[in-house]
Amino acid sequence: MKDLVFATNNIHKLDEVRAILGDSFRLLSMGEIGCQDDIAETADTFEGNALIKARYIKKKYGYDCFADDSGLEIEALNGRPGVFSARFSGEAHNARKNTEKVLTLMQGITNRSARFRTVIALIFEGKEYLFEGEIKGTILQECRGNGGFGYDPIFLPEKESRTFAEMESAEKNRISHRARAVQKLAAFLLENL
């Protein structure tokens, strides 16, 4: 079984991707290869940030690897929070404050169209590849559900009656932006093994 590093220490993301990839690879986190580094995401695009992380792991540790960058893009906020999704409120990874900031900014706005987008950068056998996934939906006026993470309680996917936070993780994994990008990644990896 081939080792593949997912350049993250986010247990939620790791669990989602492991569930999608199954047993085809031994998927390792940054912590599992001894990397505790905080890799600065300094690009202004999802693609750029994903490449920064993947290139860092490949250069420093030598593993074939992939990294993702994901975010929520809200039409009425000109695509914000975008690449700043995790630190939109100023505090990194404070989901509650990030969600509260979005709800405050969206007060009185009728256009609530949004999308979650993920870009995965893969470095595999010396070459770089990009895979993208997105899901469109709307921003609710209040939180619903206790599952998921991040903006899941306020995002209602198209053609769904429940937010990501109201879905079981297996349901979310079938339709999410990350799932769509990971499915493209998995298809590529399985074809090229």
Side-chain angles (χ1 to χ4, degrees):
M1 184 179 297
K2 186 169 176 56
D3 286 347
L4 187 64
V5 174
F6 182 9
T8 189
N9 279 318
N10 181 321
I11 194 69
H12 299 292
K13 285 184 181 182
L14 199 60
D15 287 345
E16 275 187 21
V17 173
R18 279 183 172 146
I20 294 163
L21 279 181
D23 298 334
S24 308
F25 298 90
R26 191 166 76 109
L27 189 60
L28 304 170
S29 69
M30 288 170 50
E32 289 169 319
I33 62 167
C35 179
Q36 300 302 324
D37 303 349
D38 186 18
I39 304 168
E41 297 178 27
T42 56
D44 58 2
T45 64
F46 296 128
E47 295 84 352
N49 284 332
L51 282 165
I52 285 170
K53 292 184 281 189
R55 288 171 180 161
Y56 182 91
I57 295 298
K58 182 65 177 175
K59 182 177 181 182
K60 188 166 181 181
Y61 296 91
Y63 286 95
D64 279 351
C65 60
F66 65 94
D68 80 321
D69 196 26
S70 304
L72 177 65
E73 298 175 327
I74 302 171
E75 195 173 290
L77 300 180
N78 299 314
R80 290 184 305 150
V83 295
F84 301 105
S85 292
R87 53 195 184 280
F88 193 46
S89 66
E91 289 186 49
H93 306 288
N94 189 323
R96 185 181 55 77
K97 287 191 176 183
N98 290 338
T99 300
E100 287 171 0
K101 182 173 181 177
V102 165
L103 290 175
T104 299
L105 290 172
M106 293 294 289
Q107 283 180 352
I109 295 175
T110 55
N111 175 7
R112 303 189 76 84
S113 297
R115 68 178 179 169
F116 269 123
R117 199 161 71 92
T118 293
V119 175
I120 294 174
L122 169 70
I123 299 177
F124 186 73
E125 297 180 350
K127 293 184 181 174
E128 294 180 351
Y129 305 90
L130 293 173
F131 306 92
E132 186 173 334
E134 75 169 43
I135 185 164
K136 294 179 180 178
T138 55
I139 300 299
L140 299 180
Q141 296 189 23
E142 61 187 19
C143 293
R144 284 187 5 206
N146 297 314
F149 61 98
Y151 298 97
D152 288 356
I154 61 169
F155 183 79
L156 183 67
E158 273 185 341
K159 301 177 186 166
E160 296 291 335
S161 60
R162 294 172 297 149
T163 67
F164 275 159
E166 293 174 302
M167 295 179 183
E168 295 293 326
S169 61
E171 293 177 276
K172 178 187 170 186
N173 287 347
R174 282 195 296 274
I175 65 168
S176 78
H177 51 302
R178 186 169 299 105
R180 291 172 179 185
V182 171
Q183 286 159 0
K184 292 174 185 177
L185 168 73
F188 172 86
L189 289 170
L190 294 172
E191 186 178 305
N192 289 280
L193 270 180

